[in-house]
């Protein structure tokens, strides 16, 4: 397995997979091999189906988690072993499509105001004000803030795609205040890591998650809040304010408009645009004596 692991690692790096995905894929293939106590190059579709059932029934993994394991195995068989992979023989489980959590604008304001520290306050404002993903937020550079054009440059987003998002005047003022608060100015990162935010590396993705959790608890918001929720809020509130779907698609960096169309199901403006048929019925009123 050592040789195969090295070959897989080199192939993942050659194709520019992220470090987190690379680690996940290698661990998934190693777990598959350990389950059968056999080198993975000697296992086939029957073993994959059996392992898939094991992940569902024994480990109780969600359809999404099982799909991730299958993606790792598919990469290993196609790219590392150069073997065919049949979707018919190893079908992906169907995912449950659930609507994301959405906060009202009043709840977002409470969340930001309840930030634990000024640094957290800036992170929450940036997440909501720009709609960036958590990983994109953590890797923002000082040079990505373009105050002349009032845009934020997102470099190497999902799918290694670059894009620009709006930079609001309110967020620009906050970022300038954040920069003045830093004890040591980073030459590269907008949000430098370590305890005093003076490191040579950016913050990790746990920091924005903790910022959301602490603020939600202090604001007494019962909904589960994490960085991607603020991205959903950004898109939904833009739609409610009259922005068109194509513009929101570009701002979010979605490849397919279908990804963006989910916000039609979340926008109050669209939900309330048509009256319920119940409203047009002529119903008699029930009196307390009739109960």
């Amino acid at each position: 397995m050592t040789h195969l692991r090295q070959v897989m690692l080199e192939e993942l790096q050659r194709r520019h997979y992220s470090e987190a995905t690379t680690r996940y894929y290698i661990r998934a293939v190693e777990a598959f091999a350990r389950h059968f106590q056999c080198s993975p190059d000697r296992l086939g579709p029957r073993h994959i189906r059996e392992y898939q059932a094991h992940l569902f029934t024994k480990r109780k993994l969600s359809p999404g988690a099982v799909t991730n394991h299958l993606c790792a195995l598919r990469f290993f068989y196609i790219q590392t072993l150069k073997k065919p992979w049949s979707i018919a023989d190893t079908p992906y489980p169907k995912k449950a499509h659930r609507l994301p959590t959405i906060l009202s604008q009043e709840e977002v304001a409470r969340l930001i105001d309840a930030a634990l520290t000024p640094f957290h306050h800036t992170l929450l404002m940036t997440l909501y004000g720009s709609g960036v993903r958590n990983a994109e937020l953590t890797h923002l550079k000082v040079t990505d803030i373009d105050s002349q054009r009032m845009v934020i440059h997102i470099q190497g987003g999902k799918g290694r795609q670059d894009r620009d998002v709006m930079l609001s005047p309110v967020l620009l003022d906050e970022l300038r205040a954040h920069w003045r608060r830093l004890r040591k100015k980073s030459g590269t990162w907008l949000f430098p890591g370590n305890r005093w935010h003076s490191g040579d590396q950016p913050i990790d993705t746990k920091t924005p998650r903790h910022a959301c959790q602490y603020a939600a608890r202090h604001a007494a918001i019962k909904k589960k809040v994490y960085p991607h929720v603020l991205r959903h809020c950004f898109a939904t509130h833009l739609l409610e304010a009259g922005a068109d779907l194509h513009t929101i698609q570009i701002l979010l960096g979605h490849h397919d408009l279908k990804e963006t169309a989910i916000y039609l199901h979340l926008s109050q403006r669209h939900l309330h645009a048509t009256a319920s048929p119940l409203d047009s019925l002529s119903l008699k009123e029930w009196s307390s004596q009739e109960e």
Side-chain angles (χ1 to χ4, degrees), residues 1-14 22 26 29-30 40 75-76 79-80:
M1 181 61 192
T2 303
H3 171 69
L4 292 174
R5 185 183 190 279
Q6 184 60 35
V7 173
M8 184 177 181
L9 175 61
E10 291 173 357
E11 191 64 32
L12 285 162
Q13 292 174 339
R14 188 177 72 82
T22 297
I26 289 176
V29 173
E30 290 175 340
F75 181 93
F76 175 74
Q79 305 299 340
T80 305

Side-chain angles (χ1 to χ4, degrees), residues 201-244:
Q201 297 297 320
I203 57 172
D204 60 27
T205 54
K206 292 180 181 178
T207 304
R209 285 203 299 270
H210 291 160
C212 289
Q213 292 166 0
Y214 292 144
R217 186 160 58 246
H218 294 157
I221 295 174
K222 302 302 181 183
K223 298 172 184 175
K224 186 177 180 181
V225 182
Y226 45 92
H228 217 75
V229 166
L230 292 178
R231 176 174 162 87
H232 292 317
C233 293
F234 166 83
T236 303
H237 296 165
L238 276 180
L239 193 61
E240 290 175 344
D244 63 272

Side-chain angles (χ1 to χ4, degrees), residues 148-218:
Q148 296 299 312
R149 296 181 56 227
M150 292 302 288
V151 297
I152 301 174
H153 304 299
I154 308 300
Q155 301 184 48
K158 189 174 182 181
R160 304 188 68 79
Q161 297 294 315
D162 296 349
R163 73 183 190 280
D164 286 347
V165 299
M166 77 267 282
L167 171 60
S168 81
V170 173
L171 180 56
L172 178 59
D173 288 344
E174 175 65 22
L175 291 175
R176 283 172 171 166
H178 154 73
W179 190 250
R180 289 192 295 269
R181 288 192 299 263
L182 290 177
R183 298 186 180 188
K184 177 185 176 183
K185 314 303 183 190
S186 170
T188 304
W189 306 109
L190 182 62
F191 300 116
N194 87 15
R195 183 178 178 185
W196 304 112
H197 306 298
S198 58
D200 296 326
Q201 297 297 320
I203 57 172
D204 60 27
T205 54
K206 292 180 181 178
T207 304
R209 285 203 299 270
H210 291 160
C212 289
Q213 292 166 0
Y214 292 144
R217 186 160 58 246
H218 294 157

Side-chain angles (χ1 to χ4, degrees), residues 27 49 114 125-126 136 146 202 210 248 263:
R27 288 172 182 171
R49 290 194 299 272
M125 286 187 68
T126 307
E136 293 169 346
D146 188 342
H210 291 160
I248 297 172
Y263 298 109

